Each structure stands twice: as C-alpha cells, then as structure tokens.
C-alpha cells in the first residue's frame, strides 16, 4: 500500500440479515474509499445502515458479499479468528456506552487492550496518552469516580494506546451532554491533525458531522450523499 | 495487568455473590475433607486399638463375629465361654509366640459408688493370668503420685486384690489402698453376692478398652462368676504374622467344635463394615453438596458473563480472541474454586473436633482414639478436587462467553 492508496476500500459491500423467514438488506452495495488521516462522519436516520457499515469497516462483522480491504489487507470472507488478527493494533474503538471495567483504574482500563495484544504496559506511555485526552491526573481513579465525559475520554485513550492507524467511533457522543460531546469531537480533530490517525465516526448530530472532513450519508443501506466539507 | 489479576478483579465486582458461592463450595469441600478424615482416622483408631490389645489373634467361643469384634475393642461381655483347656491345647502350636487366657464378666456397682447416678452402673471384670498378660502388654504401667504410689499386680492366687483401669479409678475416685465393692450374680445362682476388694494398683491411661475395666486373678474371676475352668478369650501372638500363617493357624484350630479364630485383620474389616453404611450415607451427602456447589459456581459465573456481555464484546473488539475470553472466564471459575477449596480445608481442619463430637454422639464406633485424621495428602486431594471442580464447571460459562459475537455482545451491553 502506498500513500495514494486508500486506507480502507469497499466495493459493492453488502450485508444481509435473516429475520425469521425475511431477508433484510442492512447494507446494499456500498462503494467507499477512505484515505489515511481523514476524519469521516457516517450519518443517516436510524436503520439506515450506519452501525452495520461501521461494524464491517471495524472488522467486527463480515460482509455477506462485496470486497473490503483494511490497511492493505483483504478482510472480506475472513473467519472470526482472522478478523481478530486484522483488528489487532490496526483499529481502535470507541462506543456509545463506554464499557470501562469498574474495578480497574482509569490507567488500567486504558492498558487493557495491551493484555490481549501480548504487549507489556508502559505506565509512562499510558500517562502520555491520558495527557493527550486531558485525564493524566485521573489515572488512578476508578470509572465510578469520574464524569461521563471523562469516561468517554478514557475510552478514547484506551483506543489510542495501541497506536492504531484507524479510530472507529460508533455514536461516541450519544451518551454525552452538548459540551462533552463537542469536546470529544474537538479531541478527534486534534488527534487527526497531530497524529495523522484516520477517524471514522457515526453520528446523528449534524454539528459533529460538520466538524469532519467528509460526510457519508446513508439511507436504506445505500450511500445517499458523500462529500468533502474541507479541503 | 495479567489474566489472573483481571480475573480476580472481576470476581471482586460482586463480593456478596462471590462470597456466597465460595461459601457453598467451601462447605462442600469441608464436608468431603471431614468425611475423608473420618475414614482415615477411624481406620487408624481401629488399628491402634487392635495393636493395644497386644495379641494378633483371639480364640473365642463360636458366635457372632460382630459381637467378638466389639468385645475385643470395647471390653464387652461374651456370653459364650470356652473350656479352660483350650489354652493348653493351643499353646502346643509351634507357631505361637505367646498366649494369655482372659475371663470377662460384668459386675454391678451399686454398693460401692460414691455417685448417685452410679447406682445402676456396671464394671467390666477381667480375670487375667498376670504373667502372660503382662508379657502380652508390656506397655502397661501403674500410675504414680500421691495416693497411687506403690501400685502393683496381684498374685495369681489373691482373692481380694484388684487393679483398676484408669477411667474406672477416676470415675469411682479410688486410689491404691482403697476398698472397691462389686456385686456379682454367680452362674446358676439367683441372689447376687457382694464382694469387697482392696485396690493394689491403678493403671496409667492406655487409650484402650483396659482403661474401662478392672483386673483380678483369672481363678478369682472364674470363682466369682461361678464358671470354674471356663474362659472368654484366649489371646494369641504368632511368631510370624502373615495372611498365610494366619490361615494355616486357623485351619489347625477351627476343627475344634467350640472355637472360632478371629484375627486382627478380620476385626478391622468387621468394624469398618459396621460403619460402612453410615459412611456411605455421609459420602452421598458430601457428593450432593459438591454437585449443588458445582451448580452454584456455574450459575454465579454464567450470571457474571451475562452481566458483562457488553464488556466482553468490547474486549473482543480491542483484540481479545475467543481463547483469551475463554481463558479469562475459566480462570475466574478456577480462582473461585481454589479459594473456596482452601477455605473448605481450613474449615475442616478447624471444625474436625466438632465433627468428631457429632459423629461420636450419633454412632458408637468402638474406638477411643481421635476419629478424624486430616493429613496433608487429604488436603492436597481436596485442593486437587477443587481445581478439577473449577476446571469442569468453568468450561460451559467460558465457552458461552468466548462464543459471543462482538457486535451482538456490544449491542446487548448497550
């Protein structure tokens, strides 16, 4: 993969589900290229296929048909065990619900992915990442002792520690108030600018989507509009 | 951070549920260890009691082997008697190392006791041949100290001298030089006859049936009970004690019409079988306890997995493989069972005295030694059992957690 190649490339990406006897097409022939260092917003009404697309791009789910390459690797048709390998160290995740372990400290929660990547934790590096999200002074607190916005920033730090090239955030501001939501989007923008990481986020919030480089609007599993907002 | 650390912290999230599950398993382990300890202790107690008899083989009148076994260890009374010349006949056997005749009878203790509740008590009277008895039991010693000094055996012809076992002397508060009264109804007579003896010695505690008996010369006992030339037991020590030698000895003497030969091993087997049913019942209870505990462990871990569905989904998203999740949940189950196993072992060790007290109250076991013997090997086996329990019960919850699809798990968690 060279610098001109897209970091993520999807062709005719389709995902069908079976609901009883009915087959539901959650995503229907999506073509998409995402470049390194891009901040992309995926928008659309509920049921439009946002989360399905995010799950496929995250290698958390496999497409029914179509081609998908992530960081230069074809991932369509891979079994779950290989999808895990494809995610490791390449993709970082932030979810609407923070899913922090309540018995671990903020720093330990951030270091959790390293356990599964079989990498030793370096507390100095953890504190540096926490500094990036503005939580260094909360490293030894437990999730129950910090606010919702701080919990989401902890989740972002957790996603960043393994130095992924792509950060995928599914409704990252859905559980946050306006101020905290905007702080998280500003943080994403800062990360893209300072580290060159690619950020893909799904959102219902037009202001948050407008803060991204590009918006991909979905409707009934198809791309409705795709356009660059910023150069 | 490592898997063990994370598993421990996960268990600690629900301290009450984890604590109750640990308690359930610990109780099951404690019951199992106590039962195992009882099994070992009882066998040891029987062996010790039999060894303290001094002889390996008992010749007695034909009858119930269970009664023989009980009499051998508890000093009970045999209702059947042997002709006295049996001893002389058996003494000619070349395989016999030493031999002692014993007459056992029961005397009433109504007239002499200083206690009100002793009005209807009994004394086990052992008529012995002093020299051969002492040869058979060289460890028997007389108590010393104020009131006990100068203790000695009687002569074989003494008619009014008596030696008391430790417990009898303590119960009756008799010392050397005191009077000791016994009332005996001789064979064939209707009216009881009271006899007065002089205590010439009090034995030290032996931990055997001898502690609960009194000793008089063989001839004196036979005369008291109106059974001249009769014996209850002939104790025999063989020069070489083995299964083959014993069978050969039995073969030679079972031909006598009035004799049964009861060996140490037979008595052990008989006494073990006496409590076999009770042990089987306790084992069944222990097994049920273990099964219930196993279900409790599974339930606890499955609940924990269910509550953490979203977190497990996120762990998978950030790089955990199926094997990682399986390992984590399996480790949690294992840790829970290991902690419970250790607590159960501790509980069994601390509570073994209480367990023994209950067992003794429920069942007459016929031995005086400690009945619960908890050995390091037993504790090791219990810990191994706890590990196996953890490994087995953890498989299904761990497999269930590992099988969660990350997308569905995260969605369920939200």
């Amino acid at each position: 993969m060279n610098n001109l190649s897209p970091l993520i490339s999807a062709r005719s990406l389709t995902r069908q589900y079976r609901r009883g006897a009915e087959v539901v097409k959650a995503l229907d022939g999506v073509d998409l290229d995402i470049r390194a260092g891009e901040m992309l917003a995926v928008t659309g009404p509920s049921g439009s296929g946002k989360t399905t697309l995010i799950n496929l791009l995250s290698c958390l789910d496999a497409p029914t048909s179509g081609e998908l390459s992530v960081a230069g690797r074809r991932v369509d048709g891979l079994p779950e065990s290989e999808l895990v390998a494809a995610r490791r160290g390449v993709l970082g995740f932030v979810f609407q619900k923070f899913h922090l372990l309540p018995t671990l400290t903020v720093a330990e929660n951030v270091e959790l992915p390293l356990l599964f990547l079989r990498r030793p934790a370096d507390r100095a590096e953890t504190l540096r990442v926490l500094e990036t999200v503005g939580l260094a002074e909360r490293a030894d607190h437990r999730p129950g002792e910090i606010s919702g916005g701080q919990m989401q920033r902890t989740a972002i730090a957790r996603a960043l520690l393994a130095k992924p090239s792509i950060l995928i955030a599914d409704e990252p501001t859905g559980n946050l108030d306006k101020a905290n939501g905007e702080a998280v989007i500003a943080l994403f923008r800062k990360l893209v600018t300072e580290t060159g990481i690619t950020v893909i986020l799904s959102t219902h919030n037009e202001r948050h989507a407008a803060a991204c480089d590009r918006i991909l609007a979905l409707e009934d599993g198809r791309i409705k509009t795709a356009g660059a907002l910023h150069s | 951070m490592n898997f063990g650390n994370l598993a421990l912290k996960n268990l600690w999230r629900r301290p009450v549920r984890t604590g109750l599950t640990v308690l359930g398993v610990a109780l099951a382990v404690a019951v199992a260890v106590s039962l195992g300890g009882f099994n070992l202790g009882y066998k040891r107690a029987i062996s010790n009691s039999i060894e303290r008899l001094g002889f390996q083989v008992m010749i007695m009148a034909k009858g119930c082997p269970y009664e023989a076994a009980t009499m051998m260890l508890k000093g009970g009374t045999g209702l059947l008697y042997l002709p006295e010349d049996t001893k002389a006949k058996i003494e000619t056997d070349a395989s016999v190392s030493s031999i002692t005749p014993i007459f056992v009878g029961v005397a009433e203790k109504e007239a002499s006791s200083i206690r009100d509740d002793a009005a209807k008590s009994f004394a086990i009277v052992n008529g012995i041949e002093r020299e051969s008895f002492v040869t058979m039991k060289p460890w028997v010693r007389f108590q010393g100290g104020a009131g006990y000094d100068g203790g000695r055996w009687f002569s074989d012809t003494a008619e009014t001298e008596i030696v008391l076992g430790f417990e009898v002397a303590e119960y009756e508060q008799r010392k050397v030089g005191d009077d000791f009264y016994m009332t005996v109804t001789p064979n064939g007579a209707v009216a009881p006859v009271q006899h007065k003896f002089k205590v010439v010695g009090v034995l030290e505690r032996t931990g055997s049936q001898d502690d609960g008996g009194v000793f008089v010369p063989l001839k004196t006992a036979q005369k008291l009970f109106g059974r001249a030339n009769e014996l209850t037991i002939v104790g025999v020590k063989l020069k070489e004690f083995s299964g083959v030698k014993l069978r050969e000895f039995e073969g030679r003497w079972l031909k006598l019409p009035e004799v049964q030969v009861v060996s140490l091993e037979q008595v052990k087997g008989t006494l073990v079988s006496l409590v076999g049913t009770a042990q089987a019942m306790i084992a069944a209870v222990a097994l049920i306890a273990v099964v219930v505990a196993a279900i409790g462990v599974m339930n606890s871990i499955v609940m924990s997995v269910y509550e953490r569905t979203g977190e497990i989904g996120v762990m998978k998203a950030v790089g955990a493989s199926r094997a990682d999740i399986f390992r984590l949940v399996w480790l949690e189950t294992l840790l829970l069972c290991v902690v419970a196993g250790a607590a159960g072992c501790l509980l069994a060790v601390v509570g073994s005295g209480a367990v023994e007290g209950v067992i003794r109250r429920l069942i007459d076991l016929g031995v005086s030694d400690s009945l619960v013997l908890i050995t390091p090997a037993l504790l090791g086996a219990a810990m191994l059992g706890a590990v196996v329990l953890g490994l087995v019960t953890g498989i299904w919850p761990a497999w269930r957690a590992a099988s969660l699809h990350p997308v569905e798990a995260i969605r369920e968690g939200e």
Side-chain angles (χ1 to χ4, degrees), chain A residues 87-88 93 97 103 108 118, chain B residues 9 13 316-317 319 324 413:
Chain A
R87 289 196 295 270
R88 282 180 171 171
F93 299 92
K97 200 174 172 185
T103 48
E108 287 170 335
R118 307 294 189 272
Chain B
K9 289 188 172 179
R13 286 169 70 165
K316 285 193 141 190
D324 288 334

Side-chain angles (χ1 to χ4, degrees), chain A residues 104-130 158 161-163, chain B residues 1-2 5:
Chain A
L104 303 186
T105 63
V106 164
E108 287 170 335
N109 266 291
V110 170
E111 290 166 352
L112 184 65
L114 300 182
L115 177 68
F116 306 121
L117 300 174
R118 307 294 189 272
R119 288 192 211 160
D122 175 358
R123 188 45 63 96
E125 177 64 10
T126 305
L127 290 174
R128 193 194 61 75
V129 173
L130 281 171
R158 178 177 65 189
L161 189 67
K163 295 189 172 63
Chain B
M1 176 81 68
N2 55 45
N5 205 345

Side-chain angles (χ1 to χ4, degrees), chain A residues 110-193:
Chain A
V110 170
E111 290 166 352
L112 184 65
L114 300 182
L115 177 68
F116 306 121
L117 300 174
R118 307 294 189 272
R119 288 192 211 160
D122 175 358
R123 188 45 63 96
E125 177 64 10
T126 305
L127 290 174
R128 193 194 61 75
V129 173
L130 281 171
E131 185 70 50
T132 307
V133 299
L135 278 180
E137 77 284 1
R138 298 283 189 172
D140 295 324
H141 286 67
R142 293 188 193 282
E145 299 164 348
I146 58 178
S147 69
Q150 288 172 325
M151 281 198 254
Q152 189 60 301
R153 280 189 277 151
T154 303
I156 294 168
R158 178 177 65 189
L160 293 175
L161 189 67
K163 295 189 172 63
S165 48
I166 304 163
L167 180 65
I168 295 187
D170 188 11
E171 304 271 7
T173 58
N175 270 348
L176 302 178
D177 57 26
K178 187 180 172 189
N180 276 310
E182 288 185 356
V184 164
I185 297 300
L187 178 61
F188 285 153
R189 170 53 64 194
K190 180 183 154 197
L191 290 170
V192 168
T193 306

